[in-house]
Amino acid sequence: MSKQIRKILVTSALPYANGPIHIGHLVEYIQTDIWVRFQKQRGHTCHYVCADDAHGTPIMLRAQQEGITPEQLIADTWTQHNADFKDFNVAFDNFYSTHSDETKHYAELIYARLQEQGHIHSKTITQAYDPVKNMFLPDRFIKGECPKCGAADQYGDNCEVCSATYAPTDLINPISAISGEKPIEKDSEHYFFKLADFEKMLQKWTKSGHLQEQVANKLNEWFETGLQDWDISRDAPYFGFEIPGAPGKFFYVWLDAPVGYMGSFQKLCDDSGLDFAEYWDKDSSTELYHFIGKDIVYFHALFWPAMLTGAGFRTPTAIFAHGFLTVNGEKMSKSRGTFIKARTYLEHLNPEYLRYYFAAKLNNRVEDIDLNFEDFSQRVNTDLVNKVVNIASRCSGFIKKRFDGKLSAECAEPALFAEFVDASEDIAQLYESREYGKAMRAISGLADKANQYIDDKQPWIVAKQEDSDQQLQDICSVGINLFYVIACYLKPVVPEMVAKAEQFLNAGEFGWPEQLTPLTDHSINKFKPLMTRVDPDKLAALIEASKENLEKKAPAPKKTSKAKAPEQAAETIEFDDFAKIDLRVALIEKAELVEGADKLLRLSLSLGDETRQVLAGIRSAYTPEQLEGRLTVMVANLKPRKMRFGISEGMVLAAGPGGDELWILSPDDGAKPGMRIK
């Protein structure tokens, strides 16, 4: 029975062209590349495209600082990104840039179609304006003191100390992060995509198997709070594509970044003869998958499908979201040497170490993964070198020296070989469902069996016995063939190592071993080391090379609360006003970092019969590990607030001036979750 060949297009979220690739980025690109390589190895038609996200105010400002054009900046960054991806064996079929004619074409086409159908509207908004730089300021370029708690150096529209939300114009003593001057308020006309027009479509789409269950459940929060119009425009000066018919107005990156997938694929079509419409038309029967980080789920799972639908294109077959990377249990840090750039890693360690380690840790759920250096070394050394590579090295020498590189004419263990091949469907299903960790464990189990076979047969002893040549050749030939199957299974993960194995076995390019037959009466080449163990000295050098050069900076004076005057008591209130506040004892069941927020922790708080999610600005004072399992006090009847990083359903209470001098309130022993504070 012939296997049906699938046609698949795969994309990854676009890296921003304003900085280098780091190992946190690589969680996405490596796992996507593994999935794509697996599909190709199975014989399917699979294309993998991506591009640099090359527009926006930060790129414009950085280019100005460096005295070059934005075009030169993004060209230099593209070269760096492309080199990093290639050296990590991330095999894009096309890696492009959103600053391209193709992306411009589709951005304008999608906008025109949405506008014709009434899904675009304009309105005047008031924004902060830098009178020195003569430009409107994005939220993150305005800083000042929180209007609620007075915390200094707060950027944008939410306080990362007290979690309050506000308009950037409400900041106390606001200044432009660009010029240092006080911004003024100025009106401007902006263009919006009416996301709410697609609410029914999106509610159905998000519950129809296109998303992981955790993601679909999370998106319910946004439907409950109401879908908001999306601002898709920015004012000049801005580096990007000007909106047709709107001089001085530019497409914001939230529109042209995802269109970059289409632009990159169009370029691939033009270069290779593929049919764009076959993959993107509304009634397309091909498969389309997006791999993204959990921080941009809202955009990719709501805005992007709605925009595609409104413009007459197909929606994704599925969107696969993943978590973030921590290093040694903590957020990547320059001071600790754990903020590791891709290039810095490549200068010290084999990229396939990291590919294998990520594969061993990843699953199909939206979970953060941790790169633990001790575990990293152990897994690579034990699983790959000591187990897999060891099979080939233990057997190849006898075959080469005693039998001139020729394997036995027949397989002496056909049942054992068949057992290894018969695992192909189960392992294929694990790859298909992105359960890479389980796949690696299954493959490692086969390697254990192969090594156990060699241990039981003891070829090193047989080699010393008289009239044992055939037995020796049979044993080692079986070992080589078992290694052959294992290498086929590992090819999506460590393609460079397996390429060396292909050269060693002299059997052509390895396909998926579902119908593999043993190599018999076959000549192999001289064995060369396929992979060496992780060198602890090189690992230490990597950490050292990743540390921030602290000597270049003068040490900041330590802030202490002693130097500050006591905070004055607020105006008196009536008892009835205080009685409205419902304070409860809460158990911190889980605490986790909030990616993109330097001061926020996401807390899961148990009130006994229910669980609340609270975003708390206490990251500077506590690690997640310090909080989990502790009791604290929370405001339980605070109206849920829609914040940039999610919904906050209450507030935990803490004392102190801020920064690392914050102490959460805790009840005495004996208090139980859910008890009211009286």
Side-chain angles (χ1 to χ4, degrees):
M1 186 175 68
S2 61
K3 181 174 67 177
Q4 184 177 358
I5 303 300
R6 297 158 60 187
K7 290 187 176 182
I8 307 170
L9 174 60
V10 180
T11 71
S12 292
L14 311 185
Y16 196 45
N18 195 38
I21 302 297
H22 57 69
I23 60 172
H25 293 127
L26 289 169
V27 172
E28 175 159 326
Y29 303 105
I30 286 175
Q31 69 174 295
T32 312
D33 182 74
I34 290 171
W35 199 79
V36 169
R37 287 180 180 272
F38 161 72
Q39 301 296 349
K40 291 182 176 181
Q41 192 177 347
R42 293 271 278 176
H44 299 305
T45 301
C46 188
H47 309 286
Y48 181 20
V49 300
C50 194
D52 268 340
D53 182 357
H55 292 154
T57 302
I59 287 174
M60 178 185 72
L61 295 175
R62 182 182 167 190
Q64 291 175 2
Q65 292 172 352
E66 296 186 8
I68 59 177
T69 65
E71 288 82 0
Q72 184 62 55
L73 173 65
I74 63 175
D76 293 344
T77 303
W78 183 91
T79 300
Q80 296 164 7
H81 286 184
N82 195 46
D84 289 344
F85 287 134
K86 284 186 175 180
D87 289 347
F88 268 98
N89 296 314
V90 176
F92 297 115
D93 292 286
N94 188 48
F95 183 69
Y96 209 36
S97 170
T98 58
H99 194 65
S100 66
D101 291 340
E102 295 85 355
T103 301
K104 184 174 186 290
H105 165 75
Y106 285 109
E108 293 179 351
L109 177 65
I110 289 174
Y111 175 80
R113 289 181 178 179
L114 294 173
Q115 189 179 46
E116 289 171 4
Q117 297 179 48
H119 301 308
I120 303 291
H121 74 105
S122 63
K123 63 180 178 181
T124 299
I125 64 173
T126 301
Q127 294 176 272
Y129 186 82
D130 189 323
V132 176
K133 299 294 290 186
N134 294 316
M135 62 178 293
F136 287 99
L137 293 168
D139 292 350
R140 64 177 176 271
F141 286 98
I142 308 169
K143 68 177 182 177
E145 300 166 13
C146 172
K148 301 293 176 66
C149 73
D153 294 328
Q154 297 304 303
Y155 287 81
D157 58 4
N158 73 285
C159 178
E160 294 187 334
V161 175
C162 73
S163 302
T165 57
Y166 42 78
T169 51
D170 293 334
L171 285 166
I172 301 170
N173 300 321
I175 62 170
S176 166
I178 302 171
S179 68
E181 293 294 318
K182 181 180 180 179
I184 62 174
E185 292 186 5
K186 189 173 181 179
D187 290 345
S188 174
E189 185 181 29
H190 273 222
Y191 294 82
F192 292 81
F193 172 64
K194 295 191 287 185
L195 185 61
D197 288 357
F198 299 88
E199 182 171 357
K200 290 184 178 179
M201 169 259 161
L202 289 171
Q203 285 185 326
K204 181 180 179 181
W205 189 85
T206 57
K207 298 174 182 176
S208 300
H210 303 288
L211 306 170
Q212 295 130 299
E213 184 179 359
Q214 308 99 300
V215 173
N217 292 338
K218 185 68 178 177
L219 292 179
N220 284 333
E221 296 178 5
W222 298 100
F223 289 116
E224 291 170 2
T225 57
L227 300 180
Q228 304 297 312
D229 293 347
W230 275 76
D231 190 345
I232 60 170
S233 64
R234 289 295 185 267
D235 297 278
Y238 186 86
F239 181 63
F241 296 138
E242 196 169 48
I243 299 175
K249 307 293 181 180
F250 291 79
F251 288 125
Y252 184 40
V253 293
W254 277 130
L255 186 141
D256 57 35
V259 175
Y261 303 137
M262 305 171 81
S264 183
F265 186 64
Q266 181 65 70
K267 174 64 173 173
L268 179 63
C269 292
D270 294 342
D271 291 344
S272 64
L274 289 168
D275 182 4
F276 181 92
E278 184 180 11
Y279 288 83
W280 283 100
D281 270 9
K282 185 176 182 179
D283 298 323
S284 171
S285 60
T286 60
E287 300 173 56
L288 173 61
Y289 300 98
H290 295 320
F291 285 73
I292 61 167
K294 62 183 181 182
D295 56 326
I296 53 176
V297 160
Y298 182 99
F299 174 73
H300 276 81
L302 294 178
F303 177 79
W304 180 226
M307 197 166 66
L308 286 169
T309 298
F313 291 102
R314 56 92 47 84
T315 56
T317 306
I319 296 170
F320 302 137
H322 60 84
F324 300 127
L325 178 72
T326 58
V327 179
N328 288 340
E330 298 181 338
K331 182 183 177 183
M332 289 192 295
S333 162
K334 291 180 180 179
S335 63
R336 291 190 296 269
T338 56
F339 187 90
I340 303 172
K341 298 176 183 178
R343 184 51 49 184
T344 309
Y345 177 98
L346 290 164
E347 290 170 352
H348 293 85
L349 296 174
N350 186 334
E352 301 217 317
Y353 294 164
L354 193 66
R355 289 181 64 100
Y356 181 81
Y357 188 75
F358 281 172
K361 301 276 282 194
L362 283 164
N363 56 45
N364 61 11
R365 298 177 295 283
V366 192
E367 295 178 357
D368 296 346
I369 65 171
D370 184 56
L371 168 57
N372 179 279
F373 288 133
E374 183 177 349
D375 183 46
F376 169 83
S377 298
Q378 185 176 3
R379 285 190 190 237
V380 171
N381 293 341
T382 301
D383 293 356
L384 282 182
V385 181
N386 292 357
K387 286 186 182 180
V388 177
V389 175
N390 195 43
I391 300 168
S393 64
R394 296 175 83 185
C395 299
S396 60
F398 292 118
I399 294 293
K400 197 65 182 176
K401 293 176 183 178
R402 296 278 289 265
F403 309 104
D404 197 28
K406 182 68 69 76
L407 301 178
S408 294
E410 295 182 2
C411 178
E413 300 285 348
L416 182 60
F417 183 85
E419 179 186 345
F420 276 47
V421 172
D422 288 346
S424 64
E425 192 54 43
D426 288 341
I427 294 174
Q429 185 53 47
L430 292 173
Y431 271 118
E432 179 70 38
S433 61
R434 305 174 329 284
E435 288 283 7
Y436 299 147
K438 291 181 180 179
M440 296 307 103
R441 289 193 290 274
I443 297 167
S444 185
L446 293 177
D448 286 334
K449 287 186 178 182
N451 279 295
Q452 187 61 54
Y453 169 80
I454 297 169
D455 289 343
D456 292 343
K457 297 296 183 179
Q458 299 180 308
W460 53 91
I461 293 177
V462 174
K464 299 175 182 179
Q465 299 172 351
E466 294 184 6
D467 301 324
S468 61
D469 279 2
Q470 188 60 57
Q471 184 183 359
L472 178 64
Q473 188 181 24
D474 287 346
I475 294 169
C476 294
S477 295
V478 169
I480 294 292
N481 272 292
L482 297 180
F483 168 79
Y484 180 22
V485 183
I486 292 169
C488 291
Y489 290 138
L490 284 172
K491 186 174 180 178
V493 178
V494 283
E496 191 173 305
M497 188 190 89
V498 175
K500 296 177 181 177
E502 289 172 340
Q503 176 64 29
F504 161 58
L505 292 182
N506 192 33
E509 186 175 346
F510 294 177
W512 194 252
E514 52 200 338
Q515 296 180 347
L516 199 67
T517 58
L519 299 173
T520 54
D521 198 27
H522 175 83
S523 294
I524 61 174
N525 294 317
K526 183 179 179 181
F527 178 79
K528 297 178 181 178
L530 303 178
M531 181 175 287
T532 58
R533 294 169 60 86
V534 176
D535 186 334
D537 292 339
K538 290 184 177 180
L539 181 57
L542 167 64
I543 297 171
E544 188 63 31
S546 300
K547 287 184 179 178
E548 187 178 33
N549 188 352
L550 301 178
E551 295 179 357
K552 294 181 180 180
K553 298 182 179 181
K558 181 175 176 62
K559 297 181 179 179
T560 65
S561 58
K562 295 179 181 179
K564 298 183 179 182
E567 188 175 351
Q568 297 296 311
E571 295 182 6
T572 58
I573 61 173
E574 298 293 333
F575 183 84
D576 289 344
D577 294 326
F578 174 75
K580 294 177 182 178
I581 303 174
D582 187 357
L583 299 177
R584 299 275 177 166
V585 176
L587 173 65
I588 305 175
E589 292 186 326
K590 185 178 181 181
E592 57 185 342
L593 304 176
V594 178
E595 186 68 20
D598 293 337
K599 300 176 183 179
L600 288 180
L601 292 177
R602 181 178 288 105
L603 308 179
S604 293
L605 302 176
S606 171
L607 295 175
D609 58 352
E610 65 172 312
T611 301
R612 301 276 189 89
Q613 172 184 275
V614 170
L615 299 175
I618 57 176
R619 185 164 166 174
S620 57
Y622 294 95
T623 66
E625 294 76 15
Q626 290 174 311
L627 294 173
E628 291 182 353
R630 291 183 58 172
L631 292 177
T632 189
V633 177
M634 73 170 296
V635 181
N637 64 335
L638 191 65
K639 184 179 179 180
R641 293 164 296 159
K642 181 180 176 182
M643 301 174 63
R644 182 186 303 173
F645 303 103
I647 303 293
S648 188
E649 301 171 308
M651 179 185 292
V652 295
L653 301 185
D660 60 356
E661 294 186 78
L662 276 175
W663 292 268
I664 64 168
L665 303 190
S666 301
D668 282 345
D669 292 342
K672 303 294 182 184
M675 285 183 175
R676 185 162 187 175
I677 310 295
K678 299 180 179 180

